[in-house]
Amino acid sequence: MAIQANIGLAPWDAFSMGLSYVTNISYGDASIYTGLVIIAIDLLLREKIGFGTLLNTILIGKMVDLLEYVDLIPLLDNFWWGLALLLLGQGIMCVGAHYYISAAMGCGPRDSLMVAMGKRVKRIPVGLVRIFIEGSALLCGWLMGAKVGLGTLIAAVGVGFILELVFRLYRFDVKAVRHESFLDTLRNWGLLKKSPSASEE
C-alpha cells in the first residue's frame, strides 16, 4: 500500500526499492537480502535472533512481490487518495506488528539492529539511534533512485503515532515482551534438551 500510494516511500522501503533499481532484482528480493545482511550484523552485535526474525525477513518481501504480481492494488496518481492508502497501510502494518511482537519469537532484523545499537550507545536516546539508521537507509535509497516525497515524511513520523494508538487499543506493553531465540523455541517445542539453567528460568 505504501509503494502503490505513490507519494514517497518510507526509509526502508526506499532502500529496498532503490536496491531493486540498481541490481534489477524484485523489491521483495531486495528486502530479503537486506534483511539477511542486517541479521548477520545483529548476530555480530549479539542480539537475539528467533524464528520470528527470519519469517519477518522472508515473508514480508515475498508477500509484496506476490501482491505486485497479482496487481491487487492500483498505482495511484492522486495525492489525497495516496495519503489515505498510505495511512491505511500503516494501520494494517501496526496491527500486524502487535501480533508478531506479542508472539515473542524475535524482532524483525531492522528493529533488532535498533535495539542492538541502542545498547551500545547508551548516552544517545534510542529515538535518535532509530533516526540515524532510518535516515541512512533513506539517503541510500534516494541515491539509488527511489521516490522520496511528502509521503516519506508522513510515513516516518506517522507510524509512531499509529503504532502507539494500536498498542493502546490492544493494551499491549511492548517493553514487557521477552523474545525467544531459535534455541529457546526449539527447547520449548521439545526438539532440544533443556539445559539446567534454561530449566531454572
Side-chain angles (χ1 to χ4, degrees), residues 6-198:
N6 198 30
I7 59 172
L9 295 165
W12 283 111
D13 291 334
F15 183 89
S16 295
M17 189 62 74
L19 186 60
S20 75
Y21 290 157
V22 299
T23 59
N24 203 29
I25 60 176
S26 71
Y27 167 92
D29 285 343
S31 176
I32 291 169
Y33 296 147
T34 301
L36 292 173
V37 170
I38 296 172
I39 286 176
I41 296 170
D42 291 338
L43 287 170
L44 289 173
L45 294 174
R46 298 182 181 179
E47 198 60 33
K48 271 189 179 180
I49 300 299
F51 280 100
T53 310
L54 191 59
L55 290 173
N56 178 292
T57 302
I58 296 170
L59 294 182
I60 290 176
K62 296 322 289 181
M63 182 59 69
V64 172
D65 280 350
L66 175 62
L67 291 174
E68 286 191 340
Y69 176 76
V70 299
D71 200 21
L72 183 66
I73 302 168
L75 184 69
L76 300 183
D77 56 9
N78 177 283
F79 174 80
W80 296 108
W81 281 113
L83 177 61
L85 186 63
L86 174 67
L87 293 175
L88 179 59
Q90 286 199 319
I92 292 170
M93 181 185 72
C94 290
V95 171
H98 160 260
Y99 285 110
Y100 112 79
I101 293 171
S102 61
M105 296 180 74
C107 283
R110 294 155 186 82
D111 291 333
S112 294
L113 178 62
M114 176 192 67
V115 171
M117 290 186 67
K119 289 176 182 175
R120 281 153 183 79
V121 287
K122 294 180 181 178
R123 294 182 181 180
I124 301 175
V126 71
L128 288 179
V129 172
R130 186 177 188 112
I131 288 171
F132 171 76
I133 293 171
E134 300 219 347
S136 300
L138 179 60
L139 177 61
C140 291
W142 176 69
L143 290 173
M144 290 186 288
K147 182 171 183 175
V148 175
L150 184 56
T152 304
L153 179 61
I154 294 169
V157 175
V159 70
F161 292 106
I162 297 171
L163 197 62
E164 182 69 23
L165 175 62
V166 167
F167 285 2
R168 284 182 183 228
L169 288 173
Y170 279 97
R171 297 178 183 175
F172 178 57
D173 181 7
V174 69
K175 295 178 183 176
V177 178
R178 295 292 174 263
H179 288 280
E180 298 178 357
S181 67
F182 277 106
L183 295 179
D184 293 333
T185 302
L186 292 174
R187 289 189 189 105
N188 290 336
W189 289 351
L191 299 174
L192 278 182
K193 186 178 180 180
K194 289 188 178 182
S195 63
S197 59

